Amino acid sequence: MKKCQVFTPENYVDLLLNYADYNENLYGKKVLENSCGDGNILSKIVQRYITDCKKQGFSAEKISEGLSNDVYGIEIIKTTWRKCICRLDEIIEDEHLPPVDWKIFNINYFSWTPENKFSYIIGNPPYITYSEIKKTEIKKLKTSFNSCSKGKFDYCYAFIEKSINELENNGKMSYLIPSSIFKTVFGNNLRSFILPHTKEIIDYSLHKVFSDALVKSSILNIQKNSNYSSILYKFDNKCVNIDKTLLSDKWVFLQKEASGNRRFGDYFQVSHAVATLYNKAFLLTDYEEDDNYIYVGNHKIEKEIIRPAVSAKSKRYKNNTLIIFPYYFNDGLKRYEETTFIKRFPRVTEYLKSFSSELKNRKSDIKSKWFEYGRSQALSSLNQNKLLISVVISDKVLVYEASSNDIPYAGMFVTQKKDLSLQDAKKILESQEFLEYAQSIGIHMSGNSIRIMSKDIMEYRF
């Protein structure tokens, strides 16, 4: 697994501690920072603990004893763990306190079972995407945590679940988390788990919390078993109470009320582009052509099997990309038998075989042949006029027209179902109302950009 350490900026450390109410009467209350790095958060915890104890008139010996018993930390990387210990020892020396027997452990948090519950858990768990986690670790997390049992989870899901389980009743957790957890498809189990305990969400999607990271963050404020009926949601200058019963699979906090009752998906189909699972073999960007063949390097490919490859981005920048389309239409999508394909398209066969190992090693659908796309998604609806739209939307929704011959290889495309025309769909998607809807339901990315999925568009009402 990729070790990804991004330390918490100091101003957000104070916010995390304040939202957890980690300010006074701290003696005897156990606090955990379970991904403590070199001590950005723990050092503030220790400083606040000492300040509070001094206000209460505790002796130096009693303060050190309390720190030894109440403050816990976990850090998996040994060099960083050592820096953290040194940093905390410097605070103790500056405060003229006796040495502290720190309960700061150099261990994997998931292999640690504490003997007690915690009054506070405060931290910035590691954000590690599914693709960056080792397969052996994925298996362990899937079996150990319900939040990770389905789909492509983020590593922080397990941190959140384990942390809440280790809080005492009414214990408080303040976590700096990726804002995407509220809306991702695979975060549904996690959202169901945290909903009863969630007290407050402070959304920093418009801010760049980490200077070198594109991820958008929020503070998740938990009070275990508090059973608040609503969540206080803060975003930019807005502060609203969200009824928890209104939060379904995807948590949308500030969605504008629909202007009509018609559902976009009843009139149009929105599909994600074809998935070859190895575009290098199928997409042709550097080529020459004549009436019968496409020339790619030393290869000559039958033109009959080539289609224009399109996306919203390629249309915008007028890129002329081609794609090998190893299927045909005759009253619906048809697939070639392998022997027929090889006999009819010997030059394409030769070209694709130059990528044979990569094509055979794809995580393809069971029924996909080696010369076909890895997934069969969207194939049946390709042979008609369509609209192209990107999954990433910024200040304006850009919609492009494509013909029945064009093959969308990135983003999404819209086809007609009934009654309304593609021009009607284009007008709807380019409207200010749809943009506002997309901004409310999409996952915030860098700058003003958001990511939206086909299901989101299908559910839009106009």
Side-chain angles (χ1 to χ4, degrees):
M1 181 175 64
K2 182 180 178 182
K3 294 291 188 294
C4 179
Q5 285 201 313
V6 182
F7 299 122
T8 313
E10 186 170 348
N11 56 323
Y12 288 97
V13 173
D14 286 323
L15 287 169
L16 285 167
L17 296 177
N18 289 341
Y19 279 117
D21 294 325
Y22 192 80
N23 294 302
E24 57 187 11
N25 300 317
L26 302 178
Y27 193 90
K29 296 178 180 177
K30 299 190 185 302
V31 57
L32 169 66
E33 213 279 85
N34 47 30
S35 181
C36 61
D38 64 3
N40 277 11
I41 295 175
L42 266 183
S43 59
K44 287 273 189 178
I45 287 173
V46 167
Q47 197 66 65
R48 288 195 182 198
Y49 190 96
I50 293 170
T51 299
D52 179 54
C53 287
K54 285 186 174 181
K55 281 183 180 178
Q56 297 186 60
F58 293 165
S59 67
E61 290 74 15
K62 187 172 183 178
I63 294 173
S64 289
E65 181 183 355
L67 288 168
S68 299
N69 292 329
D70 295 340
V71 177
Y72 288 71
I74 304 290
E75 174 50 45
I76 194 170
I77 299 175
K78 196 162 193 174
T79 53
T80 312
W81 167 74
R82 285 173 176 160
K83 288 179 184 178
C84 180
I85 298 291
C86 291
R87 192 170 176 179
L88 299 184
D89 283 340
E90 286 175 2
I91 294 173
I92 298 307
E93 186 176 343
D94 290 343
E95 294 286 347
H96 306 291
L97 297 174
V100 172
D101 182 18
W102 296 113
K103 287 184 172 60
I104 315 298
F105 305 109
N106 176 219
I107 193 171
N108 185 326
Y109 177 49
F110 299 129
S111 64
W112 181 65
T113 303
E115 296 179 353
N116 50 265
K117 298 289 186 179
F118 293 92
S119 300
Y120 304 93
I121 297 180
I122 303 165
N124 169 26
Y127 308 175
I128 304 175
T129 61
Y130 185 85
S131 61
E132 295 173 319
I133 307 173
K134 288 182 179 178
K135 289 183 179 179
T136 53
E137 187 79 4
I138 286 174
K139 289 181 180 179
K140 291 179 184 177
L141 295 175
K142 278 183 176 289
T143 56
S144 301
F145 299 98
N146 187 54
S147 61
C148 301
S149 61
K150 295 179 181 178
K152 298 179 180 180
F153 55 87
D154 190 289
Y155 197 68
C156 75
Y157 291 12
F159 263 79
I160 294 169
E161 182 176 337
K162 180 172 167 63
S163 295
I164 292 175
N165 286 334
E166 290 173 354
L167 282 173
E168 64 186 21
N169 201 38
N170 284 315
K172 297 176 181 179
M173 184 181 99
S174 187
Y175 249 15
L176 193 61
I177 58 165
S179 299
S180 61
I181 76 161
F182 304 122
K183 295 176 180 177
T184 55
V185 174
F186 302 122
N188 193 37
N189 281 359
L190 177 65
R191 290 190 290 274
S192 296
F193 177 72
I194 68 174
L195 185 62
H197 313 289
T198 302
K199 178 181 179 182
E200 195 170 10
I201 293 168
I202 303 90
D203 191 339
Y204 296 108
S205 293
L206 296 183
H207 302 263
K208 195 169 186 178
V209 175
F210 303 103
S211 59
D212 297 326
L214 294 177
V215 66
K216 297 296 184 178
S217 300
S218 295
I219 288 178
L220 175 65
N221 194 7
I222 292 285
Q223 187 170 351
K224 188 172 181 178
N225 294 329
S226 54
N227 289 315
Y228 286 96
S229 61
S230 64
I231 294 173
L232 184 62
Y233 175 74
K234 298 178 181 179
F235 175 73
D236 200 16
N237 294 320
K238 300 179 180 68
C239 183
V240 294
N241 277 299
I242 309 291
D243 187 336
K244 288 185 179 182
T245 62
L246 299 178
L247 298 175
S248 55
D249 290 349
K250 179 181 283 194
W251 290 8
V252 181
F253 302 109
L254 298 174
Q255 184 173 334
K256 190 175 180 180
E257 189 173 339
S259 59
N261 295 319
R262 291 187 291 180
R263 178 178 172 271
F264 191 87
D266 291 335
Y267 299 88
F268 305 98
Q269 177 64 40
V270 185
S271 307
H272 286 270
V274 299
T276 71
L277 301 191
Y278 195 67
N279 278 350
K280 187 176 179 179
F282 294 94
L283 285 178
L284 312 176
T285 56
D286 186 13
Y287 60 88
E288 295 181 2
E289 61 181 308
D290 60 25
D291 291 341
N292 299 311
Y293 295 101
I294 300 293
Y295 300 88
V296 182
N298 297 324
H299 293 276
K300 185 166 70 170
I301 299 172
E302 293 89 353
K303 206 168 186 178
E304 180 187 352
I305 202 168
I306 301 299
R307 296 271 200 110
V310 295
S311 67
K313 185 176 181 180
S314 76
K315 286 282 189 178
R316 182 179 182 183
Y317 295 105
K318 299 180 180 179
N319 295 333
N320 295 317
T321 302
L322 300 177
I323 191 168
I324 297 170
F325 188 68
Y327 310 90
Y328 66 100
F329 287 93
N330 184 5
D331 292 328
L333 181 77
K334 304 297 181 183
R335 307 175 103 110
Y336 291 103
E337 291 296 329
E338 184 172 357
T339 53
T340 304
F341 183 85
I342 293 171
K343 185 177 180 179
R344 186 166 178 178
F345 306 108
R347 296 184 183 278
V348 169
T349 300
E350 180 186 353
Y351 176 74
L352 290 177
K353 280 188 174 180
S354 67
F355 303 100
S356 60
S357 61
E358 292 89 349
L359 294 176
K360 289 177 180 178
N361 289 327
R362 295 174 296 172
K363 293 183 179 179
S364 302
D365 293 342
I366 295 174
K367 294 182 179 180
S368 293
K369 302 180 181 73
W370 70 269
F371 59 88
E372 294 180 326
Y373 298 164
R375 301 265 165 81
S376 59
Q377 67 181 47
L379 292 176
S380 61
S381 58
L382 288 174
N383 204 37
Q384 55 187 306
N385 292 338
K386 51 192 93 64
L387 300 176
L388 306 174
I389 182 172
S390 175
V391 296
V392 178
I393 294 172
S394 296
D395 298 322
K396 185 178 180 181
V397 180
L398 300 175
V399 183
Y400 298 89
E401 297 178 24
S403 74
S404 60
N405 198 45
D406 294 336
I407 305 300
Y409 70 94
M412 298 176 286
F413 67 97
V414 180
T415 51
Q416 186 182 11
K417 277 186 178 179
K418 64 176 184 178
D419 298 339
L420 299 180
S421 69
L422 286 181
Q423 287 304 312
D424 292 322
K426 191 172 189 292
K427 185 177 179 181
I428 294 166
L429 295 174
E430 290 178 338
S431 68
Q432 180 64 26
E433 290 80 7
F434 178 77
L435 176 61
E436 292 173 0
Y437 165 80
Q439 289 170 337
S440 70
I441 204 166
I443 296 173
H444 285 269
M445 300 173 67
S446 59
N448 294 324
S449 298
I450 55 98
R451 186 172 76 247
I452 190 169
M453 307 304 287
S454 58
K455 184 180 178 182
D456 299 327
I457 302 177
M458 296 276 279
E459 293 302 323
Y460 176 64
R461 294 186 181 272
F462 60 96

